[in-house]
Amino acid sequence: MAITRRQFTQLIGVGAIGAAVFKAPAAFAQDGGTLRIAMNTSDIGNLDPHFASGSQDRAIVDMIFNGLVRYVPGKSDEFEADLAEAIPDPVTNDDGTQSWTFTLKSGVKTHATDGADSADLTVDDLLFSFTKAANAETSAYAGNYAGWAFAAGDGENEFVVTVPVPISTSLFLPNVANYSGGYVIPQAAFEAVGAEAFVSHPVGTGPFAFVAHTPQLSVELTAHADFFRGAPQLAGVNVMFQADATARELALQAGDYDVIYGVSESSWAQRLDDLDGFTADVFGVGEVVWLNFNIEHDILKDVKVREAIFKAISRDNYVALSGAPVGEKVFSVVPAFLPGGLSEEDAEAAGVNYQQDIEGAKALLAEAGYPDGFELDMIASEQTAYRTTSEVLQEELRQIGITVNLEVVQHATMHELIRQDRNAITIYIAFRPTADIYLTQFFSTDGGVTNFSKFTVNDLRDQARGELDADAQAELWRQANIEILQNYAGYGLMFQNQVFVRRDEVDYGHELTAVVQLYPGINETTSMG
Amino acid sequence: MATSIAAAGGSAPGTPKKALISQRQRAFRSFMRNKAAVVGAVMIVFLVIMAVFAPWIAPYDPLVQSTINKFQGPSSAHWLGTDDYGRDVLSRIIWGTRVALQVGIFSVIIGAVIGITLGVTAGYFGGVIDNVLMRIVDIMLSFPDLITGLLVMAVLGAGKTKLIIAIGLTVAPRFARIAYGPVLGLKETEYIEAARAIGQSTPKIINRHILPNIAGEMIVLGSLWTASAIRLEASLSFIGLGVPPPTPTWGQMIRDGAVRLSDLPLLSLAPGAALLIAVFAFNLVGDGLRDVLDPRAN
């Protein structure tokens, strides 16, 4: 069929317009509804949920696994039943122990994997998983389950958790929730994959199932059609690894990502929020930035030196790095938004709201025998929050004559080295769901290598554990925080909220107030318009 | 070869001193006629003045932070604005010149000393020594500059002195390879054989007859590699393996500013421009010197 030049031109024109019209939405097509979220690391660490600790790992395992109970999506202070039918009331036994009897929901399907077909989750799986979580060789969170016992109940699908002494709901539930050791691992799948391979090939029951891990690039998840709360609205999730913040930002704007881990800086978040088509979410939980002072260090064992350093510090300098609402001050290691943390008024009343006083600090150093200051070596992480905190501290100490020789190393290396007591002052940034966990991990003999300060509040921590009255318990935790400050062993600087940016089409499916897994919370209700 | 000796200011036996001075003057005049090279030299002088007089030129202490004044745009108080810690960007660039020049110049000196020693030794003695030394040089040359720098820094750790050593070791095989070739020819020349015949010692022959004859090429190479060393220092600092904080370095400033490239481009662009100027200046001077001193360029 012959066509004229004009017809040919018209055909090309129509074709071009048609392509443009149909291509436009395709520019935002998400591979059939696969959400692409970019995290701020170069790869996974460990996807066995009982070891996962990096923010990228916590986000991934949260989409793959469930707990007996779960934090209400988008909130960090409310629980609801998840794998369990309901949250049980505890029973105090004749021998003084306390039992919690859960009833496992029927029809919870595990993900299929090579060597283990999808199957109903059973009480045996719960037994296997919690026994693993409580074993220090198979879990990094075993300390949270010291003395706990697990058994099948008398009734159908019943699972009984027994703790050695009665504890409050607020202390118990985080350990059986969708966080750390509370994630449930199906036994058959774990054994089929093998413990070694499980760290990069997790299998659970959650809304998304693991498909593939491409080192240094991504982890691919697909929707779990048989998920017990209903099939996810997304076809899948691709967790991409891009450590460079600028690259993440540009890729988001280019349409290569749907959600990115942001920069913890308020003006950056505001700028991204002002862009058409994008929303910056600033939400909790805030990760606390605090300093641990090694009270056994050659120089810092002199309390006057530690006091001098406290007087050199101004929280304003640190908070200004992030700016409100991303960063806010804390007045103790346990933040005030958790029971047991000190508010500014609490710290003021206890006389531990230390203020910057450079001349006073210099005078104290002179009294301690260091009129010309001294030198300290410090290992710092390359990760922005750690590096910036280190540099501000370095400058503050320079003002009182203390020279801090910073050695910036990879983040994982820093964690390894600070556990070898390489730092006299250790910066740590972390969220823990209860004051008990903060005090146990960092200020008790049970903390082991993470008791960076060597200062302990075991007695107050133990008293608080046995206290069932929530107000009295919080007061004991506050006392522990005051002791830490009075002994110049730990100094809470600020907490830093999470910053994520998404395309406006992304709807997480829940309000975003605070998420303990340190990401926006992606589940079966998350969708893209 | 006679041209080479004369141009390089070499000391062939019997060369009258008056003629030698005249040749140096001629070389200087030739360099001064190269406008691009003169511009480069002026830029280098400017950078050296900045580095030496940084404490007096910089408007602020480059280390003093004021986090509540972070990310300020250019103003009369802070011509290039402030960085993420509220530090004056201009002051940090001026102080950064010190690190750039120190690392650039000293690493090339270290590299030249090691490289020329290797190249001359291998070329002059030949045989097994030649084979062993030059194969080592070949292996070192097979690694890209940045990779060699990374490897050495990974072993030595961060720090200015270590950075100078790392870049020096990266540069050394380049000098060895360039020094090696001419020595092979020089050692067969009649005046070297004559020097041997009258019983001059090997060190004396190398010092008085070999080194002066390769000096021109080495100076050219040194000036060009100074530019590369400055760039390499910035690259290593950019990836966090350079001089540790709080010492200001251009590469570190470029990296830190990159995250705000779209709204505060000066944070990265200003130190980037300083780096560009320094590299450009040493390259211009290197090209000019090559036109004057390198016999192959003539």
Side-chain angles (χ1 to χ4, degrees):
Chain A
M1 183 183 73
I3 57 171
T4 64
R5 180 179 295 175
R6 172 176 288 189
Q7 284 172 324
F8 178 75
T9 308
Q10 287 170 343
L11 201 62
I12 293 293
V14 169
I17 292 167
V21 168
F22 290 105
K23 180 67 182 170
F28 290 103
Q30 307 308 316
D31 305 322
T34 296
L35 183 141
R36 299 153 304 172
I37 178 170
M39 301 300 284
N40 67 332
T41 54
S42 52
D43 207 346
I44 58 169
N46 190 328
L47 297 183
D48 179 331
H50 299 165
F51 285 100
S53 60
S55 53
Q56 80 283 20
D57 297 343
R58 286 188 184 279
I60 294 167
V61 301
D62 186 60
M63 292 183 265
I64 296 174
F65 295 91
N66 298 99
L68 283 169
V69 301
R70 69 169 179 168
Y71 287 92
V72 171
K75 296 185 176 178
S76 64
D77 55 356
E78 284 182 46
F79 292 94
E80 63 185 14
D82 196 18
L83 292 174
E85 293 278 8
I87 298 177
D89 290 325
V91 174
T92 304
N93 303 311
D94 294 340
D95 59 359
T97 59
Q98 184 189 47
S99 292
W100 305 67
T101 303
F102 293 91
T103 302
L104 177 64
K105 275 178 182 155
S106 299
V108 175
K109 296 286 186 190
T110 65
H111 303 152
T113 188
D114 286 347
D117 293 335
S118 176
D120 283 348
L121 192 76
T122 66
V123 170
D124 285 341
D125 290 317
L126 298 180
L127 270 171
F128 165 79
S129 185
F130 279 98
T131 305
K132 175 181 177 298
N135 182 346
E137 289 181 8
T138 53
S139 164
Y141 305 104
N144 298 344
Y145 303 93
W148 290 32
F150 311 99
D154 295 334
E156 190 182 357
N157 276 355
E158 278 188 358
F159 176 66
V160 183
V161 180
T162 303
V163 298
V165 291
I167 57 175
S168 61
T169 305
S170 63
L171 276 188
F172 176 78
L173 290 182
N175 294 314
V176 294
N178 53 335
Y179 187 76
S180 301
Y183 286 113
V184 173
I185 299 175
Q187 182 173 9
F190 184 83
E191 288 171 353
V193 174
E196 201 172 317
F198 206 77
V199 302
S200 59
H201 188 125
V203 185
T205 54
F208 297 97
F210 176 86
V211 176
H213 165 229
T214 307
Q216 309 271 318
L217 183 65
S218 68
V219 166
E220 190 183 336
L221 308 177
T222 188
H224 180 200
D226 296 329
F227 182 55
F228 66 92
R229 279 199 302 269
Q233 296 191 38
L234 295 171
V237 178
N238 277 354
V239 181
M240 323 287 282
F241 303 115
Q242 177 51 264
D244 185 79
T246 308
R248 287 199 303 277
E249 179 190 331
L250 294 174
L252 175 78
Q253 292 189 44
D256 293 334
Y257 299 142
D258 303 303
V259 179
I260 62 167
Y261 187 106
V263 173
S264 298
E265 206 277 308
S266 56
S267 65
W268 184 92
Q270 187 60 54
R271 182 170 59 81
L272 270 285
D273 196 58
D274 289 344
L275 295 175
D276 281 344
F278 300 98
T279 300
D281 296 303
V282 178
F283 56 98
V285 290
E287 289 189 272
V288 181
V289 182
W290 81 93
L291 307 175
N292 301 273
F293 294 80
N294 184 347
I295 62 170
E296 295 175 1
H297 181 266
D298 284 349
I299 300 174
L300 266 61
K301 66 185 176 191
D302 185 337
V303 72
K304 281 181 183 165
V305 174
R306 300 204 300 276
E307 188 181 352
I309 295 174
F310 268 49
K311 282 181 183 290
I313 295 168
S314 165
R315 289 187 179 92
D316 291 329
N317 291 337
Y318 298 87
V319 173
L321 284 174
S322 302
V326 176
E328 291 184 35
K329 291 180 193 175
V330 295
F331 297 89
S332 58
V333 172
V334 177
F337 62 77
L338 286 179
L342 298 182
S343 65
E344 186 169 10
E345 293 73 27
D346 293 334
E348 196 67 50
V352 291
N353 185 20
Y354 302 109
Q355 303 295 324
Q356 190 178 48
D357 173 11
I358 299 296
E359 292 311 313
K362 285 179 178 172
L364 274 169
L365 274 187
E367 274 181 47
Y370 300 102
D372 301 321
F374 52 86
E375 287 195 29
L376 276 182
D377 293 336
M378 183 186 275
I379 303 290
S381 165
E382 63 180 349
Q383 214 172 62
T384 308
Y386 279 91
R387 193 171 54 80
T388 52
T389 304
S390 309
E391 288 195 44
V392 173
L393 179 66
Q394 183 185 43
E395 172 59 14
E396 287 180 335
L397 297 191
R398 189 176 74 96
Q399 291 181 29
I400 63 168
I402 300 174
T403 303
V404 177
N405 301 314
L406 277 186
E407 186 183 347
V408 182
V409 298
Q410 287 189 332
H411 190 61
T413 308
M414 179 214 72
H415 275 291
E416 191 181 325
L417 294 176
I418 61 175
R419 282 161 175 76
Q420 298 168 10
D421 281 343
R422 287 280 294 272
N423 281 353
I425 305 172
T426 300
I427 296 166
Y428 212 84
I429 303 175
F431 168 77
R432 297 292 181 266
T434 65
D436 179 82
I437 300 178
Y438 273 107
L439 298 177
T440 300
Q441 288 193 354
F442 303 105
F443 295 96
S444 86
T445 47
D446 301 327
V449 290
T450 54
N451 176 216
F452 303 114
S453 68
K454 316 300 176 203
F455 182 76
T456 60
V457 289
N458 284 28
D459 290 347
L460 282 166
R461 189 275 315 259
D462 291 344
Q463 282 180 49
R465 271 187 185 173
E467 180 56 65
L468 294 179
D469 178 73
D471 291 338
Q473 187 179 54
E475 183 52 37
L476 287 164
W477 283 331
R478 274 193 289 274
Q479 283 303 318
N481 275 301
I482 289 168
E483 270 198 20
I484 292 167
L485 284 158
Q486 284 173 336
N487 287 278
Y488 306 102
Y491 191 113
L493 295 170
M494 61 180 288
F495 70 80
Q496 215 170 39
N497 280 314
Q498 311 299 313
V499 179
F500 277 77
V501 186
R502 60 183 159 90
R503 291 195 305 107
D504 285 342
E505 288 79 1
V506 175
D507 178 358
Y508 294 124
H510 53 78
E511 283 183 39
L512 202 46
T513 309
V515 182
V516 299
Q517 294 84 7
L518 308 176
Y519 82 121
I522 295 168
N523 59 28
E524 74 281 2
T525 63
T526 303
S527 62
M528 288 191 291
Chain B
M1 186 53 66
T3 309
S4 160
I5 295 165
S11 58
T15 305
K17 195 170 184 186
K18 191 175 175 188
L20 186 69
I21 292 167
S22 164
Q23 282 157 1
R24 281 184 180 162
Q25 284 175 336
R26 196 184 311 141
F28 178 73
R29 283 181 195 139
S30 172
F31 181 84
M32 293 303 286
R33 278 197 296 274
N34 186 335
K35 286 178 184 167
V38 172
V39 169
V42 170
M43 286 157 75
I44 290 174
V45 169
F46 176 70
L47 289 170
V48 170
I49 290 171
M50 279 223 299
V52 172
F53 298 103
W56 295 277
I57 295 173
Y60 297 93
D61 182 334
L63 306 183
V64 168
Q65 301 174 354
S66 174
T67 51
I68 55 167
N69 293 315
K70 66 177 182 172
F71 294 140
Q72 287 190 355
S75 65
S76 56
H78 300 282
W79 289 3
L80 295 177
T82 60
D83 69 4
D84 47 345
Y85 297 91
R87 298 176 297 205
D88 183 59
V89 172
L90 175 61
S91 301
R92 290 181 67 76
I93 288 175
I94 291 170
W95 279 87
T97 312
R98 277 195 169 189
V99 176
L101 292 189
Q102 281 174 352
V103 173
I105 293 169
F106 289 118
S107 62
V108 166
I109 290 173
I110 288 177
V113 169
I114 297 172
I116 292 171
T117 305
L118 287 175
V120 170
T121 306
Y124 188 80
F125 292 104
V128 177
I129 294 174
D130 180 351
N131 271 329
V132 171
L133 291 180
M134 293 317 289
R135 293 304 77 74
I136 292 171
V137 166
D138 287 343
I139 291 168
M140 291 174 77
L141 281 172
S142 67
F143 291 96
D145 311 336
L146 191 57
I147 301 297
T148 311
L150 278 171
L151 286 173
V152 180
M153 289 303 287
V155 173
L156 297 178
K160 191 161 67 183
T161 309
K162 292 164 184 170
L163 191 62
I164 289 171
I165 295 169
I167 297 176
L169 291 175
T170 306
V171 172
R174 274 77 188 172
F175 277 94
R177 174 54 72 187
I178 300 297
Y180 172 74
V183 174
L184 288 178
L186 282 170
K187 73 175 181 181
E188 306 296 338
T189 54
E190 290 171 357
Y191 65 89
I192 298 281
E193 283 181 9
R196 276 198 211 105
I198 63 171
Q200 281 194 351
S201 66
T202 301
K204 198 169 182 181
I205 292 171
I206 289 174
N207 282 330
R208 293 196 59 179
H209 305 299
I210 303 280
L211 289 180
N213 277 293
I214 61 170
E217 285 172 82
M218 295 302 106
I219 289 169
V220 172
L221 192 65
S223 61
L224 292 172
W225 267 97
T226 301
S228 296
I230 291 171
R231 182 180 48 75
L232 200 53
E233 181 274 320
S235 303
L236 289 167
S237 292
F238 184 86
I239 56 177
L241 282 174
V243 182
T247 308
T249 67
W250 294 340
Q252 196 184 76
M253 291 177 74
I254 293 170
R255 181 192 65 179
D256 291 347
V259 77
R260 303 301 295 255
L261 200 56
S262 51
D263 61 330
L264 294 167
L266 268 182
L267 289 178
S268 274
L269 292 184
L275 177 63
L276 179 78
I277 289 169
V279 172
F280 189 52
F282 278 99
N283 277 330
L284 286 180
V285 170
D287 284 347
L289 288 173
R290 186 179 53 199
D291 291 344
V292 175
L293 301 176
D294 188 346
R296 279 172 296 202
N298 295 323

